[in-house]
Amino acid sequence: MAVRLKPGAKILLTLVVVGGIAWAAYTYYWLPRQSNSSGGSFFASNGSGKKSVYKVALSEWPGHMAMVIGNGGLKTQPGSAAADEGLNLEVVFIEDPIRKNAALQSGDVDFVWQTVDELPINMGGFKKAGVDARAFLQIDWSRGGDACISSADVQKVEDILNRKSAMMMFSPDHTVFEFMINNSRLTPEQIQKVRNDTSFSSDDFTYGRVLFTQNKVDVACLWEPDVTLALKGRPGSHRLFSTADATELVADVLLANQKLLETQPDIAEKVAKTWFAGVAKGEADKQAAAKFISSTVPRFKNELGYEGTLTALGWVKWTTIADNSYFFGLDGKAPAFDRVYNQADGIWVQYPKAEITQRFAPASLRNDAIVRKIADSETRKAPLEEPKYEPKVAATGAPVFTKPVTINFESGKSELDAESMHILNSQVLPQLELAKAMYVRVEGNTDNVGDEKQNLSLSERRAKSVVDFLVSKGVNAVRVTAKGNGDANPLGSNKTGDGRAANRRTDILFISSTTK
């Protein structure tokens, strides 16, 4: 039999129900949100400490879009790779370095993108905040999306001297700039002058493009799509140097707190699998990927559109498990992560504004457990994609920049001694690994003392000794060639001791892969 409630009882019951709803909201929404302000999670978690939703902070950069594909959108969609993994993931876009780092430190996001070259600057802040941030997944290589462009009269890096440049400070493009000037023929004093003649912005990625198109600078280092926009805005300008040549200079990774990687490795593994599934799907149909991205992600939708997005996918390389195995050194070789990190660390310590108060060993900043587990579980491993080199380019191409190296030989000899091998190992091989798409011509030079024909022959043998050593260290033989100039290309006067010493040199000429 139904029970009728009196008006007073109805009011009391209503108050109880409303109060219960309020208490539930307080318990499941307000309390978790408040705990987030002191480093806790924004989202409610179950008794195991796991969240109902995990957040990953990315950039609106084509190299990050495989995660959006794998997630089915900015929030996990039914039928997506993330959903198949049982993962509820939300993608948020944070471009500003300070904001994105703070988001991981506070727990507002669980995973955050970084370029490896910015880690020497950022890791001190993570440590100070008590966050043991680790790179656990490589998500892309920049393959032309970061570039230094120049006016028509700047044809090689050495031409930058006494001209103006502009870029965003400590960005990946600043890294590209430093790589090319430090591996050129510019002296340390000239390099410092180039830096002094460079204008920097701390937070405006359009800064270099604006100055370049206004003809206020002759060199601007940018990332796409601003590279393309700047070239269109200044007729006759061209790409001077980019990550299309320095293929292993700029790499993006995902960072997570080591605590999460240790206590919830299954979540990090699901994120990684979502990434790899997104890569596979996007690579299988680039047109469909571009259509999806340009209808889902604001910058691609509002600025680039479908055609621009399709082009953008050629600026980067989404990484597979094979790429990650190589990057983290699971193939038994030195991790590429370490080379990229050490290159940047050596640059930024020269900049007081970087405020680097702590130095870190790269091994302490990476965690390969997730990649290792996925790689070990695969029964069929795809081989790592290697560049395809064209014969004769090394012999005929014009150099973008030239690195002089002091290689000492005994009089009349062409054999490398231990000191020369050390110089090549430390000053040449790392650069060849970072600029993996570039060709190299090794040119031997002498002073004019002695017989001209003998000097020419000796310089050829010495250049070949350098090439043979580089090939023995794993450099593809098609990439490198030897040439002897004898005394035909002096840098100084052969009438003085210093001049003759400058003329007895070995030049390492870096030649663009786009040179025909």
Tab-separated table of all heavy atoms in Angstrom, residues 289-348:
chain	number	residue	atom	x	y	z
A	289	ALA	N	44.283	11.192	-41.975
A	289	ALA	CA	44.840	11.784	-40.753
A	289	ALA	C	44.764	13.304	-40.809
A	289	ALA	O	44.378	13.960	-39.837
A	289	ALA	CB	46.282	11.326	-40.566
A	290	ALA	N	45.132	13.870	-41.965
A	290	ALA	CA	45.092	15.324	-42.116
A	290	ALA	C	43.668	15.848	-42.012
A	290	ALA	O	43.418	16.910	-41.415
A	290	ALA	CB	45.714	15.725	-43.449
A	291	LYS	N	42.732	15.129	-42.584
A	291	LYS	CA	41.329	15.536	-42.510
A	291	LYS	C	40.843	15.527	-41.061
A	291	LYS	O	40.157	16.460	-40.613
A	291	LYS	CB	40.470	14.607	-43.363
A	291	LYS	CG	38.999	15.002	-43.427
A	291	LYS	CD	38.217	14.084	-44.363
A	291	LYS	CE	36.744	14.498	-44.419
A	291	LYS	NZ	35.964	13.617	-45.333
A	292	PHE	N	41.206	14.473	-40.334
A	292	PHE	CA	40.788	14.357	-38.940
A	292	PHE	C	41.411	15.463	-38.081
A	292	PHE	O	40.730	16.131	-37.304
A	292	PHE	CB	41.179	12.979	-38.390
A	292	PHE	CG	40.871	12.798	-36.935
A	292	PHE	CD1	39.570	12.616	-36.500
A	292	PHE	CD2	41.888	12.823	-35.985
A	292	PHE	CE1	39.286	12.462	-35.147
A	292	PHE	CE2	41.618	12.665	-34.642
A	292	PHE	CZ	40.304	12.486	-34.219
A	293	ILE	N	42.713	15.676	-38.233
A	293	ILE	CA	43.416	16.684	-37.432
A	293	ILE	C	42.887	18.082	-37.724
A	293	ILE	O	42.656	18.879	-36.810
A	293	ILE	CB	44.931	16.609	-37.704
A	293	ILE	CG1	45.512	15.275	-37.206
A	293	ILE	CG2	45.661	17.771	-37.027
A	293	ILE	CD1	46.899	14.983	-37.727
A	294	SER	N	42.668	18.383	-39.004
A	294	SER	CA	42.227	19.727	-39.389
A	294	SER	C	40.777	19.996	-39.016
A	294	SER	O	40.319	21.146	-39.098
A	294	SER	CB	42.428	19.947	-40.891
A	294	SER	OG	41.650	19.029	-41.644
A	295	SER	N	40.066	18.973	-38.600
A	295	SER	CA	38.693	19.184	-38.132
A	295	SER	C	38.577	19.074	-36.613
A	295	SER	O	37.502	19.294	-36.061
A	295	SER	CB	37.753	18.160	-38.784
A	295	SER	OG	38.082	16.840	-38.393
A	296	THR	N	39.707	18.744	-35.961
A	296	THR	CA	39.673	18.478	-34.520
A	296	THR	C	40.502	19.459	-33.706
A	296	THR	O	40.097	19.892	-32.623
A	296	THR	CB	40.182	17.042	-34.237
A	296	THR	OG1	39.406	16.112	-34.994
A	296	THR	CG2	40.092	16.704	-32.762
A	297	VAL	N	41.671	19.817	-34.208
A	297	VAL	CA	42.633	20.620	-33.448
A	297	VAL	C	42.548	22.075	-33.893
A	297	VAL	O	42.661	22.367	-35.095
A	297	VAL	CB	44.055	20.068	-33.641
A	297	VAL	CG1	45.063	20.876	-32.839
A	297	VAL	CG2	44.107	18.594	-33.224
A	298	PRO	N	42.355	22.999	-32.959
A	298	PRO	CA	42.057	24.405	-33.314
A	298	PRO	C	43.025	25.046	-34.299
A	298	PRO	O	42.589	25.644	-35.292
A	298	PRO	CB	42.094	25.112	-31.949
A	298	PRO	CG	41.665	24.046	-30.982
A	298	PRO	CD	42.257	22.778	-31.500
A	299	ARG	N	44.337	24.958	-34.073
A	299	ARG	CA	45.254	25.678	-34.946
A	299	ARG	C	45.211	25.130	-36.375
A	299	ARG	O	45.265	25.885	-37.347
A	299	ARG	CB	46.682	25.614	-34.405
A	299	ARG	CG	47.608	26.548	-35.189
A	299	ARG	CD	49.011	26.621	-34.654
A	299	ARG	NE	49.709	27.738	-35.280
A	299	ARG	CZ	51.030	27.871	-35.314
A	299	ARG	NH1	51.795	26.983	-34.729
A	299	ARG	NH2	51.580	28.906	-35.893
A	300	PHE	N	45.134	23.839	-36.513
A	300	PHE	CA	45.072	23.239	-37.844
A	300	PHE	C	43.735	23.567	-38.514
A	300	PHE	O	43.671	23.775	-39.723
A	300	PHE	CB	45.279	21.733	-37.745
A	300	PHE	CG	46.663	21.361	-37.292
A	300	PHE	CD1	46.950	21.179	-35.945
A	300	PHE	CD2	47.691	21.222	-38.198
A	300	PHE	CE1	48.226	20.856	-35.526
A	300	PHE	CE2	48.971	20.897	-37.790
A	300	PHE	CZ	49.241	20.722	-36.445
A	301	LYS	N	42.694	23.618	-37.719
A	301	LYS	CA	41.364	23.926	-38.248
A	301	LYS	C	41.265	25.379	-38.680
A	301	LYS	O	40.733	25.685	-39.761
A	301	LYS	CB	40.313	23.622	-37.182
A	301	LYS	CG	38.884	23.855	-37.619
A	301	LYS	CD	37.915	23.473	-36.511
A	301	LYS	CE	36.472	23.657	-36.924
A	301	LYS	NZ	35.531	23.262	-35.845
A	302	ASN	N	41.805	26.283	-37.862
A	302	ASN	CA	41.612	27.712	-38.090
A	302	ASN	C	42.691	28.354	-38.951
A	302	ASN	O	42.434	29.371	-39.599
A	302	ASN	CB	41.550	28.439	-36.741
A	302	ASN	CG	40.413	27.951	-35.867
A	302	ASN	OD1	39.369	27.534	-36.378
A	302	ASN	ND2	40.607	27.975	-34.561
A	303	GLU	N	43.909	27.787	-38.981
A	303	GLU	CA	45.014	28.430	-39.682
A	303	GLU	C	45.491	27.672	-40.913
A	303	GLU	O	45.778	28.276	-41.945
A	303	GLU	CB	46.200	28.625	-38.728
A	303	GLU	CG	45.933	29.592	-37.576
A	303	GLU	CD	47.165	29.798	-36.711
A	303	GLU	OE1	48.290	29.594	-37.202
A	303	GLU	OE2	47.012	30.157	-35.535
A	304	LEU	N	45.607	26.356	-40.796
A	304	LEU	CA	46.217	25.601	-41.881
A	304	LEU	C	45.212	24.965	-42.822
A	304	LEU	O	45.453	24.881	-44.033
A	304	LEU	CB	47.137	24.511	-41.302
A	304	LEU	CG	48.375	25.001	-40.555
A	304	LEU	CD1	49.181	23.822	-40.052
A	304	LEU	CD2	49.233	25.886	-41.431
A	305	GLY	N	44.105	24.494	-42.283
A	305	GLY	CA	43.150	23.779	-43.119
A	305	GLY	C	43.693	22.420	-43.536
A	305	GLY	O	44.781	22.001	-43.132
A	306	TYR	N	42.915	21.726	-44.374
A	306	TYR	CA	43.293	20.356	-44.754
A	306	TYR	C	44.624	20.307	-45.501
A	306	TYR	O	45.523	19.535	-45.147
A	306	TYR	CB	42.192	19.723	-45.593
A	306	TYR	CG	42.639	18.453	-46.279
A	306	TYR	CD1	42.782	17.272	-45.560
A	306	TYR	CD2	42.953	18.449	-47.640
A	306	TYR	CE1	43.222	16.104	-46.183
A	306	TYR	CE2	43.381	17.290	-48.267
A	306	TYR	CZ	43.518	16.131	-47.533
A	306	TYR	OH	43.964	14.988	-48.155
A	307	GLU	N	44.771	21.111	-46.559
A	307	GLU	CA	45.988	21.050	-47.372
A	307	GLU	C	47.220	21.420	-46.561
A	307	GLU	O	48.269	20.770	-46.658
A	307	GLU	CB	45.863	21.970	-48.597
A	307	GLU	CG	44.819	21.534	-49.601
A	307	GLU	CD	45.188	20.220	-50.290
A	307	GLU	OE1	46.375	19.833	-50.242
A	307	GLU	OE2	44.279	19.594	-50.863
A	308	GLY	N	47.096	22.469	-45.756
A	308	GLY	CA	48.222	22.880	-44.924
A	308	GLY	C	48.582	21.828	-43.889
A	308	GLY	O	49.754	21.606	-43.586
A	309	THR	N	47.566	21.158	-43.360
A	309	THR	CA	47.811	20.112	-42.375
A	309	THR	C	48.510	18.920	-43.013
A	309	THR	O	49.445	18.345	-42.443
A	309	THR	CB	46.488	19.656	-41.738
A	309	THR	OG1	45.872	20.781	-41.101
A	309	THR	CG2	46.724	18.564	-40.713
A	310	LEU	N	48.083	18.561	-44.205
A	310	LEU	CA	48.724	17.454	-44.918
A	310	LEU	C	50.193	17.760	-45.167
A	310	LEU	O	51.063	16.892	-44.994
A	310	LEU	CB	47.989	17.190	-46.232
A	310	LEU	CG	48.460	15.980	-47.042
A	310	LEU	CD1	48.304	14.691	-46.245
A	310	LEU	CD2	47.691	15.894	-48.363
A	311	THR	N	50.479	18.988	-45.562
A	311	THR	CA	51.876	19.397	-45.755
A	311	THR	C	52.640	19.348	-44.437
A	311	THR	O	53.797	18.925	-44.385
A	311	THR	CB	51.939	20.821	-46.339
A	311	THR	OG1	51.270	20.847	-47.603
A	311	THR	CG2	53.378	21.281	-46.522
A	312	ALA	N	51.985	19.773	-43.368
A	312	ALA	CA	52.629	19.828	-42.056
A	312	ALA	C	53.102	18.462	-41.587
A	312	ALA	O	54.102	18.350	-40.868
A	312	ALA	CB	51.665	20.417	-41.023
A	313	LEU	N	52.408	17.418	-41.993
A	313	LEU	CA	52.793	16.079	-41.551
A	313	LEU	C	54.134	15.646	-42.132
A	313	LEU	O	54.736	14.686	-41.657
A	313	LEU	CB	51.702	15.068	-41.925
A	313	LEU	CG	50.324	15.323	-41.300
A	313	LEU	CD1	49.361	14.210	-41.658
A	313	LEU	CD2	50.420	15.500	-39.796
A	314	GLY	N	54.622	16.360	-43.142
A	314	GLY	CA	55.940	16.075	-43.703
A	314	GLY	C	57.065	16.779	-42.967
A	314	GLY	O	58.244	16.553	-43.274
A	315	TRP	N	56.753	17.627	-42.008
A	315	TRP	CA	57.779	18.369	-41.266
A	315	TRP	C	58.366	17.568	-40.108
A	315	TRP	O	59.318	17.994	-39.473
A	315	TRP	CB	57.194	19.658	-40.691
A	315	TRP	CG	56.641	20.614	-41.699
A	315	TRP	CD1	57.029	20.762	-42.996
A	315	TRP	CD2	55.597	21.573	-41.484
A	315	TRP	NE1	56.290	21.740	-43.611
A	315	TRP	CE2	55.397	22.263	-42.698
A	315	TRP	CE3	54.821	21.911	-40.376
A	315	TRP	CZ2	54.449	23.276	-42.832
A	315	TRP	CZ3	53.881	22.913	-40.520
A	315	TRP	CH2	53.694	23.585	-41.726
A	316	VAL	N	57.736	16.430	-39.822
A	316	VAL	CA	58.112	15.681	-38.622
A	316	VAL	C	58.141	14.184	-38.940
A	316	VAL	O	57.677	13.749	-39.996
A	316	VAL	CB	57.097	15.908	-37.479
A	316	VAL	CG1	57.136	17.347	-36.996
A	316	VAL	CG2	55.686	15.524	-37.922
A	317	LYS	N	58.675	13.431	-38.013
A	317	LYS	CA	58.600	11.975	-38.092
A	317	LYS	C	57.996	11.450	-36.795
A	317	LYS	O	58.596	11.583	-35.730
A	317	LYS	CB	59.975	11.346	-38.298
A	317	LYS	CG	59.884	9.834	-38.466
A	317	LYS	CD	61.244	9.177	-38.512
A	317	LYS	CE	61.102	7.691	-38.865
A	317	LYS	NZ	60.208	6.967	-37.937
A	318	TRP	N	56.798	10.891	-36.891
A	318	TRP	CA	56.201	10.244	-35.725
A	318	TRP	C	56.999	8.979	-35.420
A	318	TRP	O	57.348	8.216	-36.318
A	318	TRP	CB	54.751	9.860	-36.020
A	318	TRP	CG	53.829	11.017	-36.187
A	318	TRP	CD1	53.965	12.264	-35.678
A	318	TRP	CD2	52.589	11.032	-36.926
A	318	TRP	NE1	52.905	13.061	-36.032
A	318	TRP	CE2	52.046	12.323	-36.804
A	318	TRP	CE3	51.909	10.077	-37.666
A	318	TRP	CZ2	50.838	12.690	-37.386
A	318	TRP	CZ3	50.704	10.431	-38.260
A	318	TRP	CH2	50.175	11.718	-38.122
A	319	THR	N	57.255	8.726	-34.154
A	319	THR	CA	58.151	7.637	-33.807
A	319	THR	C	57.420	6.321	-33.558
A	319	THR	O	56.348	6.288	-32.957
A	319	THR	CB	58.962	7.983	-32.553
A	319	THR	OG1	58.063	8.298	-31.483
A	319	THR	CG2	59.869	9.168	-32.807
A	320	THR	N	58.037	5.251	-33.999
A	320	THR	CA	57.560	3.889	-33.792
A	320	THR	C	58.290	3.281	-32.592
A	320	THR	O	59.165	3.925	-31.990
A	320	THR	CB	57.835	3.044	-35.029
A	320	THR	OG1	59.269	2.978	-35.211
A	320	THR	CG2	57.202	3.666	-36.267
A	321	ILE	N	57.989	2.046	-32.282
A	321	ILE	CA	58.706	1.360	-31.218
A	321	ILE	C	60.171	1.163	-31.610
A	321	ILE	O	61.064	1.200	-30.748
A	321	ILE	CB	58.033	0.012	-30.869
A	321	ILE	CG1	58.674	-0.591	-29.613
A	321	ILE	CG2	58.090	-0.943	-32.035
A	321	ILE	CD1	58.513	0.217	-28.358
A	322	ALA	N	60.454	0.987	-32.909
A	322	ALA	CA	61.841	0.865	-33.362
A	322	ALA	C	62.600	2.161	-33.118
A	322	ALA	O	63.755	2.144	-32.675
A	322	ALA	CB	61.885	0.493	-34.842
A	323	ASP	N	61.966	3.305	-33.408
A	323	ASP	CA	62.596	4.598	-33.137
A	323	ASP	C	62.881	4.761	-31.650
A	323	ASP	O	63.943	5.247	-31.249
A	323	ASP	CB	61.692	5.742	-33.607
A	323	ASP	CG	61.533	5.780	-35.108
A	323	ASP	OD1	62.549	5.840	-35.812
A	323	ASP	OD2	60.389	5.747	-35.580
A	324	ASN	N	61.924	4.374	-30.827
A	324	ASN	CA	62.091	4.508	-29.383
A	324	ASN	C	63.190	3.589	-28.854
A	324	ASN	O	63.938	3.966	-27.946
A	324	ASN	CB	60.769	4.223	-28.668
A	324	ASN	CG	59.915	5.467	-28.496
A	324	ASN	OD1	59.926	6.104	-27.456
A	324	ASN	ND2	59.189	5.819	-29.550
A	325	SER	N	63.287	2.391	-29.407
A	325	SER	CA	64.350	1.474	-28.990
A	325	SER	C	65.715	2.078	-29.287
A	325	SER	O	66.642	2.000	-28.477
A	325	SER	CB	64.191	0.126	-29.701
A	325	SER	OG	62.983	-0.504	-29.329
A	326	TYR	N	65.841	2.694	-30.448
A	326	TYR	CA	67.074	3.380	-30.828
A	326	TYR	C	67.325	4.588	-29.927
A	326	TYR	O	68.441	4.807	-29.445
A	326	TYR	CB	66.959	3.811	-32.285
A	326	TYR	CG	68.009	4.779	-32.764
A	326	TYR	CD1	69.298	4.354	-33.054
A	326	TYR	CD2	67.704	6.132	-32.959
A	326	TYR	CE1	70.266	5.249	-33.509
A	326	TYR	CE2	68.652	7.026	-33.411
A	326	TYR	CZ	69.936	6.576	-33.686
A	326	TYR	OH	70.879	7.470	-34.130
A	327	PHE	N	66.278	5.359	-29.690
A	327	PHE	CA	66.392	6.596	-28.913
A	327	PHE	C	66.846	6.318	-27.475
A	327	PHE	O	67.669	7.044	-26.920
A	327	PHE	CB	65.041	7.301	-28.905
A	327	PHE	CG	65.054	8.689	-28.354
A	327	PHE	CD1	65.675	9.725	-29.036
A	327	PHE	CD2	64.427	8.991	-27.158
A	327	PHE	CE1	65.677	11.023	-28.540
A	327	PHE	CE2	64.425	10.277	-26.654
A	327	PHE	CZ	65.048	11.298	-27.346
A	328	PHE	N	66.307	5.251	-26.873
A	328	PHE	CA	66.645	4.920	-25.493
A	328	PHE	C	67.795	3.923	-25.381
A	328	PHE	O	68.145	3.507	-24.272
A	328	PHE	CB	65.412	4.382	-24.765
A	328	PHE	CG	64.401	5.436	-24.432
A	328	PHE	CD1	63.256	5.593	-25.199
A	328	PHE	CD2	64.596	6.295	-23.363
A	328	PHE	CE1	62.317	6.577	-24.897
A	328	PHE	CE2	63.670	7.283	-23.058
A	328	PHE	CZ	62.527	7.428	-23.823
A	329	GLY	N	68.383	3.542	-26.496
A	329	GLY	CA	69.559	2.672	-26.453
A	329	GLY	C	69.261	1.222	-26.185
A	329	GLY	O	70.129	0.491	-25.698
A	330	LEU	N	68.054	0.770	-26.518
A	330	LEU	CA	67.717	-0.630	-26.280
A	330	LEU	C	68.367	-1.549	-27.302
A	330	LEU	O	68.330	-2.774	-27.143
A	330	LEU	CB	66.195	-0.827	-26.318
A	330	LEU	CG	65.362	0.037	-25.364
A	330	LEU	CD1	63.917	-0.431	-25.362
A	330	LEU	CD2	65.937	0.025	-23.956
A	331	ASP	N	68.958	-0.975	-28.340
A	331	ASP	CA	69.636	-1.766	-29.366
A	331	ASP	C	71.091	-2.041	-29.010
A	331	ASP	O	71.849	-2.584	-29.809
A	331	ASP	CB	69.568	-1.061	-30.721
A	331	ASP	CG	70.152	0.350	-30.690
A	331	ASP	OD1	70.608	0.790	-29.610
A	331	ASP	OD2	70.144	1.017	-31.741
A	332	GLY	N	71.487	-1.641	-27.804
A	332	GLY	CA	72.857	-1.880	-27.361
A	332	GLY	C	73.819	-0.761	-27.684
A	332	GLY	O	74.970	-0.773	-27.229
A	333	LYS	N	73.367	0.220	-28.435
A	333	LYS	CA	74.211	1.368	-28.773
A	333	LYS	C	73.946	2.511	-27.808
A	333	LYS	O	72.991	2.474	-27.031
A	333	LYS	CB	73.948	1.800	-30.221
A	333	LYS	CG	74.244	0.722	-31.242
A	333	LYS	CD	73.910	1.196	-32.656
A	333	LYS	CE	74.165	0.111	-33.681
A	333	LYS	NZ	73.792	0.544	-35.058
A	334	ALA	N	74.794	3.522	-27.870
A	334	ALA	CA	74.596	4.693	-27.009
A	334	ALA	C	73.259	5.335	-27.322
A	334	ALA	O	72.922	5.531	-28.501
A	334	ALA	CB	75.725	5.697	-27.215
A	335	PRO	N	72.442	5.662	-26.308
A	335	PRO	CA	71.120	6.244	-26.558
A	335	PRO	C	71.212	7.570	-27.317
A	335	PRO	O	72.011	8.451	-26.963
A	335	PRO	CB	70.555	6.467	-25.148
A	335	PRO	CG	71.327	5.533	-24.270
A	335	PRO	CD	72.701	5.459	-24.868
A	336	ALA	N	70.391	7.723	-28.338
A	336	ALA	CA	70.339	8.996	-29.055
A	336	ALA	C	69.887	10.110	-28.121
A	336	ALA	O	70.274	11.272	-28.293
A	336	ALA	CB	69.395	8.882	-30.250
A	337	PHE	N	69.062	9.776	-27.135
A	337	PHE	CA	68.622	10.758	-26.141
A	337	PHE	C	69.821	11.475	-25.538
A	337	PHE	O	69.811	12.710	-25.376
A	337	PHE	CB	67.830	10.055	-25.033
A	337	PHE	CG	67.421	10.959	-23.886
A	337	PHE	CD1	66.160	11.547	-23.866
A	337	PHE	CD2	68.281	11.223	-22.830
A	337	PHE	CE1	65.783	12.381	-22.813
A	337	PHE	CE2	67.918	12.047	-21.777
A	337	PHE	CZ	66.657	12.626	-21.767
A	338	ASP	N	70.850	10.718	-25.192
A	338	ASP	CA	72.013	11.303	-24.523
A	338	ASP	C	72.746	12.275	-25.440
A	338	ASP	O	73.203	13.339	-24.997
A	338	ASP	CB	72.962	10.199	-24.064
A	338	ASP	CG	72.354	9.310	-22.993
A	338	ASP	OD1	71.126	9.370	-22.796
A	338	ASP	OD2	73.094	8.550	-22.345
A	339	ARG	N	72.875	11.933	-26.723
A	339	ARG	CA	73.557	12.828	-27.663
A	339	ARG	C	72.804	14.147	-27.805
A	339	ARG	O	73.410	15.229	-27.803
A	339	ARG	CB	73.685	12.168	-29.031
A	339	ARG	CG	74.676	11.041	-29.105
A	339	ARG	CD	75.013	10.699	-30.548
A	339	ARG	NE	73.858	10.228	-31.295
A	339	ARG	CZ	73.464	8.963	-31.328
A	339	ARG	NH1	74.102	8.046	-30.625
A	339	ARG	NH2	72.425	8.610	-32.061
A	340	VAL	N	71.484	14.050	-27.950
A	340	VAL	CA	70.674	15.258	-28.108
A	340	VAL	C	70.758	16.114	-26.855
A	340	VAL	O	70.917	17.347	-26.928
A	340	VAL	CB	69.211	14.881	-28.419
A	340	VAL	CG1	68.344	16.126	-28.539
A	340	VAL	CG2	69.115	14.064	-29.709
A	341	TYR	N	70.658	15.479	-25.692
A	341	TYR	CA	70.707	16.222	-24.426
A	341	TYR	C	72.080	16.876	-24.230
A	341	TYR	O	72.162	18.068	-23.889
A	341	TYR	CB	70.412	15.286	-23.253
A	341	TYR	CG	70.456	15.995	-21.921
A	341	TYR	CD1	69.331	16.644	-21.421
A	341	TYR	CD2	71.637	16.064	-21.179
A	341	TYR	CE1	69.376	17.328	-20.218
A	341	TYR	CE2	71.690	16.746	-19.972
A	341	TYR	CZ	70.552	17.369	-19.496
A	341	TYR	OH	70.619	18.057	-18.309
A	342	ASN	N	73.143	16.131	-24.432
A	342	ASN	CA	74.486	16.671	-24.191
A	342	ASN	C	74.811	17.813	-25.138
A	342	ASN	O	75.506	18.773	-24.761
A	342	ASN	CB	75.529	15.559	-24.321
A	342	ASN	CG	75.482	14.569	-23.169
A	342	ASN	OD1	75.087	14.917	-22.061
A	342	ASN	ND2	75.879	13.336	-23.424
A	343	GLN	N	74.339	17.711	-26.382
A	343	GLN	CA	74.534	18.799	-27.342
A	343	GLN	C	73.916	20.087	-26.806
A	343	GLN	O	74.544	21.152	-26.812
A	343	GLN	CB	73.916	18.419	-28.680
A	343	GLN	CG	73.703	19.564	-29.661
A	343	GLN	CD	74.992	20.045	-30.302
A	343	GLN	OE1	75.998	19.354	-30.281
A	343	GLN	NE2	74.961	21.229	-30.886
A	344	ALA	N	72.667	20.003	-26.328
A	344	ALA	CA	71.978	21.190	-25.815
A	344	ALA	C	72.606	21.682	-24.516
A	344	ALA	O	72.772	22.896	-24.318
A	344	ALA	CB	70.503	20.870	-25.600
A	345	ASP	N	72.958	20.769	-23.645
A	345	ASP	CA	73.561	21.149	-22.373
A	345	ASP	C	74.847	21.941	-22.599
A	345	ASP	O	75.112	22.937	-21.913
A	345	ASP	CB	73.847	19.892	-21.549
A	345	ASP	CG	74.413	20.201	-20.172
A	345	ASP	OD1	73.697	20.830	-19.369
A	345	ASP	OD2	75.570	19.819	-19.905
A	346	GLY	N	75.640	21.520	-23.576
A	346	GLY	CA	76.877	22.226	-23.881
A	346	GLY	C	76.656	23.619	-24.436
A	346	GLY	O	77.519	24.490	-24.322
A	347	ILE	N	75.484	23.833	-25.046
A	347	ILE	CA	75.147	25.160	-25.577
A	347	ILE	C	74.662	26.083	-24.468
A	347	ILE	O	75.160	27.201	-24.282
A	347	ILE	CB	74.062	25.051	-26.664
A	347	ILE	CG1	74.597	24.323	-27.896
A	347	ILE	CG2	73.544	26.439	-27.051
A	347	ILE	CD1	73.532	24.008	-28.928
A	348	TRP	N	73.668	25.617	-23.701
A	348	TRP	CA	72.970	26.515	-22.781
A	348	TRP	C	73.805	26.946	-21.583
A	348	TRP	O	73.548	27.998	-21.000
A	348	TRP	CB	71.664	25.896	-22.306
A	348	TRP	CG	70.722	25.496	-23.401
A	348	TRP	CD1	69.965	24.372	-23.452
A	348	TRP	CD2	70.415	26.213	-24.606
A	348	TRP	NE1	69.222	24.323	-24.601
A	348	TRP	CE2	69.478	25.458	-25.330
A	348	TRP	CE3	70.860	27.427	-25.151
A	348	TRP	CZ2	68.972	25.861	-26.552
A	348	TRP	CZ3	70.356	27.833	-26.376
A	348	TRP	CH2	69.432	27.064	-27.054
